[in-house]
Amino acid sequence: MDTDLAALPDDIAALKAALAIERARTRAVLAERDAGAAELAVARAKASEDLALIAHQKLRIAQLERQIYGPRSERSERLIDQLALQFEEFAASAAEDDLAAEIAVAKTTNVAGFTRRRVERNTFPDHLPRERVVIDPPTTCGCCGGTRLRKLGEDVTRTLEVIPRQWKVIETVRQKLTCRDCEKISQAPAPFHVIARGWAGPSLLAMILFEKFGQHQPLNRQAERYAREGVPISLSTVADAVGSGCAALEPVLRRVEAHVMAAERLHGDDTTVPVLAKGKTDTGRCWVYVRDDRPFGGKGPPAAMFYYSRDRKGEHPQRHLTGYAGLFQADAFDGYRPLYLPERRAGPILEVGCWAHARRPFFAMADIEENARRRAGGRTGIALSPIAIEVVRRIDALFEIERSINGKIAEERRTVRQERSKPLVEELQVYMREQRAKLSRGHDLAKAIDYILKRWAAFTLCLDDGRACLSNNAAERALRGIALGRKSWMFCGSDRGGQRAAAMYSLIVTAKMNGIDPQAWLADTLAKIATHPAHRLDELLPWNWTPKVPTITAAAA
């Protein structure tokens, strides 16, 4: 240290020169380091953009393939969800690396910047209000300092913003008037409120109901969020709102039920619902019956009716369908068998088999793609079966024909099936009988083949009736929300809670099937239902409801 100091010159000018040289060398080192860091950041941003672009294209390809060719595998929808999640992560990483590259390049003068190729943004909807913020222009010229400036044009940058949810208290005043002649007091009648004493308006009540049953948000979480927004509402008060709302919507629910049970064909299915019991949870069931006439050109609007039960006894669907007669598409649950008896009082119910359900056990032994992925990952592959692969190929050929006749009238569908599908089905039956004779009774393939052959009349009824579908996917789609919701609410609190959930699922799913915003429809229905004439109650049903078109006020415009 002392030696280094002794080597320094004593002249101040020489010291300054040495200091300047050292500072220049330091700046050069720092500039070189910043340039390297900038180049690295740009390279990382480019790589992130490429990954996001690849993920986006994979997602679009998967969505288009499903749209064009239909669900070619049982995992197609799950695969799309997975690809969407990957794209979200890659896009977020690309944005993060893009910003880091921009900051790094700003520190250098010899590294080219990086501009990310962004996906074209959709135009903002016209109905959204506009707020114009004008930045004060300069008053003097930035070049010569002159003040004689005139407007040449303007650049407008549009950003989408959200206003936090607003709460307000509506005070409804009913003045009391006294008569000077007879001194009798007159007053306007009290308005109807869905909840006693009118503490919750229809929009708030609709939001609570939709978030609980449509967005699967338990009431305790809703109450916590309301408190954070400065509106503390007790859990019991919110629960009262749910009970009152469900009771008010009961007449509409009964109209939906009557519409569903008047269908020519129903889809039926059920799923598990955990129910709180003493020290444990029991496994209840949620049943759904879907009316969807669109595949065979029917004019009846689609609708779904849900029911709850504590167990899975056959008496429940038998009670639900007491007055129904027509086609019934469901799985091979033994509890449905009494419905198919010819001496049934309400009339015959014709069983329609689900080819998608029958295809699943074969597909489990024919998934070539999954087998390749497992082997590539070093895991044990699937035991592929040539018989299963052939059966899946033949069933897929039937669905390919169905996609060409979806939405056509029943008679056209029947004609096409007789000409194109029937020969394939007969060949499939011969093939399965030949292969079944070679298999042992306990073989998985034998069980899958027996499932179809023992119910051959149900699986082939679609060939003679154009109203029938090949699959029961309509019912499975209706139950999808419950499967997602189980991860949020864990269990129903009681049997009454399960019944309320089934009622609200019926209304919300029906609204979604008709392309209606469930929350907006619920808010409008709750506001009208008390004063609406009973004989015109059908006007409030989702498929008869007309949403209000948002308008732009002059001030907002």
Side-chain angles (χ1 to χ4, degrees):
M1 182 68 178
D2 294 339
T3 303
D4 295 338
L5 292 176
L8 294 175
D10 295 331
D11 185 15
I12 294 179
L15 285 173
K16 289 182 177 180
L19 180 59
I21 293 173
E22 187 63 29
R23 284 181 174 177
R25 184 183 297 112
T26 302
R27 283 195 296 269
V29 172
L30 292 177
E32 184 178 357
R33 186 195 64 182
D34 290 342
E39 291 177 355
L40 179 61
V42 170
R44 185 180 293 113
K46 290 180 179 178
S48 295
E49 185 202 23
D50 291 341
L51 290 175
L53 180 61
I54 293 172
H56 187 225
Q57 295 303 322
K58 286 183 177 180
L59 175 60
R60 294 190 65 182
I61 290 171
Q63 290 172 336
L64 290 173
E65 285 182 344
R66 181 176 176 84
Q67 180 180 352
I68 296 173
Y69 302 112
R72 300 189 66 175
S73 73
E74 297 301 325
R75 301 186 317 278
S76 59
E77 185 175 354
R78 187 175 59 204
L79 176 62
I80 290 177
D81 293 339
Q82 183 178 357
L83 290 174
L85 179 60
Q86 291 177 350
F87 170 64
E88 293 172 9
E89 297 297 336
F90 285 136
S93 299
E96 185 178 355
D97 292 341
D98 184 23
L99 181 60
E102 183 179 345
I103 296 174
V105 169
K107 298 179 181 179
T108 68
T109 58
N110 57 354
V111 177
F114 169 71
T115 302
R116 181 183 170 202
R117 298 189 300 270
R118 300 180 184 274
V119 179
E120 183 178 356
R121 184 179 60 195
N122 294 331
T123 304
F124 298 134
D126 294 334
H127 67 79
L128 293 179
R130 261 65 172 174
E131 179 182 348
R132 187 176 174 87
V133 179
V134 181
I135 300 176
D136 294 334
T139 57
T140 59
C141 176
C143 178
C144 66
T147 58
R148 299 177 59 192
L149 303 179
R150 64 178 181 178
K151 184 176 179 179
L152 177 63
E154 63 182 18
D155 293 329
V156 179
T157 302
R158 293 181 176 85
T159 56
L160 187 63
E161 187 55 279
V162 59
I163 300 175
R165 182 163 52 197
Q166 297 179 351
W167 297 79
K168 66 179 180 180
V169 177
I170 299 177
E171 296 181 348
T172 303
V173 180
R174 296 186 297 127
Q175 295 182 348
K176 295 181 179 180
L177 303 177
T178 181
C179 178
R180 293 186 176 182
D181 295 331
C182 63
E183 296 186 356
K184 184 177 180 180
I185 298 176
S186 301
Q187 187 180 30
F192 168 79
H193 295 288
V194 178
I195 297 178
R197 293 175 297 279
W199 77 267
S203 295
L204 173 58
L205 184 56
M207 182 182 70
I208 294 173
L209 291 172
F210 180 68
E211 289 197 356
K212 176 175 174 60
F213 301 106
Q215 299 297 321
H216 317 294
Q217 290 296 315
L219 295 182
N220 63 318
R221 297 180 193 172
Q222 294 190 48
E224 291 173 0
R225 188 172 70 253
Y226 301 158
R228 287 193 295 269
E229 295 176 4
V231 186
I233 305 176
S234 67
L235 181 60
S236 61
T237 302
V238 180
D240 289 343
V242 172
S244 300
C246 292
L249 293 168
E250 181 71 17
V252 178
L253 178 67
R254 298 280 73 86
R255 296 298 180 97
V256 172
E257 180 183 37
H259 175 73
V260 171
M261 295 305 167
E264 299 179 64
R265 184 206 65 207
L266 282 182
H267 294 271
D269 203 355
D270 66 286
T271 188
T272 58
V273 179
V275 186
L276 187 64
K278 293 183 179 180
K280 61 176 182 177
T281 55
D282 291 337
T283 302
R285 309 296 297 193
C286 192
W287 309 79
V288 65
Y289 304 95
V290 176
R291 173 178 181 172
D292 192 352
D293 302 340
R294 292 172 293 182
F296 60 89
K299 296 182 180 180
M305 191 65 198
F306 289 76
Y307 297 95
Y308 164 84
S309 66
R310 190 75 177 195
D311 49 47
R312 203 194 183 205
K313 295 180 180 179
E315 62 189 40
H316 302 300
Q318 295 165 27
R319 184 179 67 255
H320 303 156
L321 301 175
T322 299
Y324 176 73
L327 303 180
F328 184 56
Q329 199 138 16
D331 56 25
F333 175 47
D334 289 339
Y336 295 141
R337 289 187 179 180
L339 297 172
Y340 308 135
L341 297 177
E343 62 272 14
R344 186 169 172 267
R345 177 180 300 178
I349 290 182
L350 302 179
E351 180 185 8
V352 184
C354 174
W355 283 96
H357 190 83
R359 175 181 177 273
R360 288 171 188 167
F362 294 103
F363 184 81
M365 294 176 279
D367 195 346
I368 299 176
E369 295 180 2
E370 176 64 18
N371 184 64
R373 281 192 291 269
R374 288 193 177 190
R375 291 187 180 279
R379 295 178 295 169
T380 304
I382 300 174
L384 298 178
S385 167
I387 300 176
I389 294 175
E390 179 62 19
V391 172
V392 169
R393 185 191 67 80
R394 292 172 182 254
I395 295 178
D396 286 347
L398 296 176
F399 278 102
E400 188 66 29
I401 298 173
E402 283 300 303
R403 281 185 280 274
S404 67
I405 60 175
N406 188 37
K408 296 185 178 180
I409 62 174
E411 188 57 34
E412 291 184 17
R413 286 157 60 92
R414 179 186 177 279
T415 301
V416 174
R417 287 172 178 172
Q418 287 288 323
E419 294 176 356
R420 301 175 57 188
S421 301
K422 188 174 182 178
L424 299 182
V425 171
E426 292 174 348
E427 293 174 3
L428 175 60
Q429 182 186 26
V430 173
Y431 178 78
M432 288 193 298
R433 289 191 182 279
E434 292 176 351
Q435 302 304 321
R436 176 63 183 88
K438 304 174 184 178
L439 300 171
S440 62
R441 183 173 58 182
H443 198 284
D444 290 339
L445 270 177
K447 296 178 182 178
I449 292 175
D450 288 341
Y451 178 85
I452 299 178
L453 294 180
K454 290 180 179 179
R455 300 168 180 82
W456 191 248
F459 281 101
T460 57
L461 188 143
C462 60
L463 300 176
D464 300 317
D465 195 326
R467 298 171 300 173
C469 284
L470 255 66
S471 72
N472 195 35
N473 291 341
E476 295 184 0
R477 286 193 298 268
L479 290 173
R480 188 179 302 156
I482 299 178
L484 295 175
R486 281 196 295 255
K487 300 178 181 179
S488 299
W489 40 260
M490 302 296 287
F491 49 76
C492 291
S494 64
D495 290 339
R496 288 288 302 278
Q499 294 166 4
R500 279 192 296 271
M504 291 308 303
Y505 289 151
S506 302
L507 299 178
I508 291 174
V509 172
T510 298
K512 289 182 178 180
M513 293 177 69
N514 287 274
I516 296 299
D517 178 8
Q519 184 172 335
W521 171 71
L522 286 172
D524 192 52
T525 301
L526 288 169
K528 296 177 178 178
I529 192 169
T531 56
H532 202 80
H535 66 281
R536 291 169 46 197
L537 199 59
D538 288 348
E539 296 175 358
L540 300 181
L541 293 173
W543 51 86
N544 293 328
W545 182 72
T546 302
K548 297 179 180 178
V549 179
T551 57
I552 304 176
T553 62

